């Protein structure tokens, strides 16, 4: 079964750091670009970051650029998001998602999603 | 950045209704548009990719059309499990990849 399972969400203080993880199974992880997408509860979807299959290319949304770092370990079938200098507006459910096309930087959509991990930034 | 707008933002419908949701892009995105369905407490689900291609396993009552700046998602006969929020997403000009604000389909 194709599956993504996020972990690492927690309550953190403004200015603090968190590291999210996403464990992948059921597909050839190192064939695909992977994404992080977040959602404030009750609100819409916001793309956060992507990393290509070979880690050569990373992109970030403007709201997290310079604060968040995406990485992956293909030997462990795992995706990560290091979140620094956290702000209250980073409070959200964070999803990892698999891109749809083998070897593409960005394919035609995100065809597998995890259930998300909740990050709450509060003093 | 490419801005996506969706209309309507809320849609009241009944089982069996034909439902159409529109997504407009602020620039030409060719056919690099996807549609997602999200029900409360669940992750988004890919329905349509490349504007008009049905994702594997998605019922044929869902269809997508359009190119350039105007796109539509149509549900030909609404089923109880289709009451959800629908998002469009552009993947042509990035970063960032952008989502529309969503359309909630409710009773």
């Amino acid at each position: 079964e194709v599956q993504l399972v996020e972990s690492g969400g927690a309550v953190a203080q403004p200015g603090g750091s968190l590291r999210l993880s996403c464990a992948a199974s059921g597909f050839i992880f190192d064939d695909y670009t992977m994404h992080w997408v977040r959602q404030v509860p009750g609100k819409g979807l916001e793309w956060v970051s992507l990393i290509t299959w070979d880690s050569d290319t990373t992109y970030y949304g403007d709201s997290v650029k310079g604060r968040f770092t995406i990485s992956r370990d293909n030997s462990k079938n795992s995706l990560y998001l290091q979140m620094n200098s956290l702000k209250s507006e980073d409070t959200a459910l964070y999803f990892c998602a698999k891109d749809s096309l083998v070897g593409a930087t960005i394919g035609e959509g995100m065809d597998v999603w995890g259930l998300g991990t909740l990050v709450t930034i509060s003093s | 950045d490419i801005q996506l707008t969706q209309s309507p933002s809320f849609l009241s419908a009944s089982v069996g209704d034909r439902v159409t949701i529109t997504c407009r892009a602020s620039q030409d995105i060719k056919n690099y548009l996807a549609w997602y369905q999200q029900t409360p407490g669940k992750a988004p689900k890919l329905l349509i990719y490349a504007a008009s291609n049905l994702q594997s396993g998605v019922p044929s009552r869902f269809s997508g059309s359009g190119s350039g700046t105007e796109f539509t998602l149509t549900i030909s006969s609404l089923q109880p499990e289709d009451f959800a929020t629908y998002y469009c997403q552009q993947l042509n000009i990035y970063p960032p990849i952008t989502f529309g604000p969503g359309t909630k389909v409710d009773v």
Side-chain angles (χ1 to χ4, degrees):
Chain A
E1 181 191 4
V2 177
Q3 195 172 16
L4 296 171
V5 179
E6 302 93 338
S7 61
V11 178
Q13 292 194 334
S17 298
L18 284 174
R19 189 192 196 209
L20 306 184
S21 300
C22 172
S25 59
F27 65 98
I28 303 173
F29 181 71
D30 53 9
D31 273 354
Y32 295 93
T33 286
M34 296 295 295
H35 302 263
W36 287 101
V37 176
R38 68 185 182 183
Q39 185 173 39
V40 174
K43 303 297 184 183
L45 300 167
E46 179 188 11
W47 173 80
V48 173
S49 182
L50 73 81
I51 184 168
T52 53
W53 64 274
D54 56 3
S55 301
D56 265 6
T57 300
T58 59
Y59 291 125
Y60 299 91
D62 285 346
S63 61
V64 306
K65 201 178 301 181
R67 301 187 299 122
F68 289 10
T69 302
I70 192 170
S71 62
R72 65 192 292 162
D73 185 338
N74 288 343
S75 70
K76 296 181 179 179
N77 288 348
S78 291
L79 174 72
Y80 305 102
L81 187 68
Q82 178 66 44
M83 309 166 64
N84 297 333
S85 303
L86 286 162
K87 304 176 181 180
S88 58
E89 51 263 43
D90 296 320
T91 294
L93 185 64
Y94 285 73
F95 297 100
C96 68
K98 167 187 166 291
D99 203 273
S100 60
L101 288 186
V102 172
T105 298
I106 293 179
E108 299 171 317
M110 301 166 188
D111 62 353
V112 181
W113 295 64
L115 294 179
T117 188
L118 184 62
V119 171
T120 303
I121 309 305
S122 174
S123 53
Chain B
D1 297 2
I2 301 292
Q3 310 300 323
L4 296 178
T5 59
Q6 289 183 233
S7 60
S9 54
F10 180 87
L11 192 159
S12 181
S14 301
V15 172
D17 284 353
R18 181 181 181 88
V19 168
T20 299
I21 299 168
T22 298
C23 177
R24 291 184 174 88
S26 59
Q27 298 178 46
D28 183 352
I29 57 170
K30 302 178 178 64
N31 71 333
Y32 290 87
L33 189 102
W35 289 97
Y36 296 84
Q37 175 194 64
Q38 188 180 31
T39 53
K42 295 200 171 181
K45 174 186 175 182
L46 179 64
L47 299 176
I48 301 285
Y49 64 92
S52 60
N53 293 274
L54 195 66
Q55 175 68 3
S56 175
V58 174
S60 59
R61 63 181 180 272
F62 291 92
S63 64
S65 65
S67 66
T69 61
E70 187 155 334
F71 302 85
T72 59
L73 173 71
T74 300
I75 310 171
S76 60
S77 179
L78 198 66
Q79 297 303 300
E81 60 269 29
D82 301 336
F83 290 98
T85 300
Y86 294 85
Y87 296 93
C88 57
Q89 177 199 45
Q90 72 83 21
L91 303 108
N92 184 48
I93 299 173
Y94 56 87
I97 295 169
T98 48
F99 290 90
T103 295
K104 184 174 183 179
V105 177
D106 209 342
V107 177

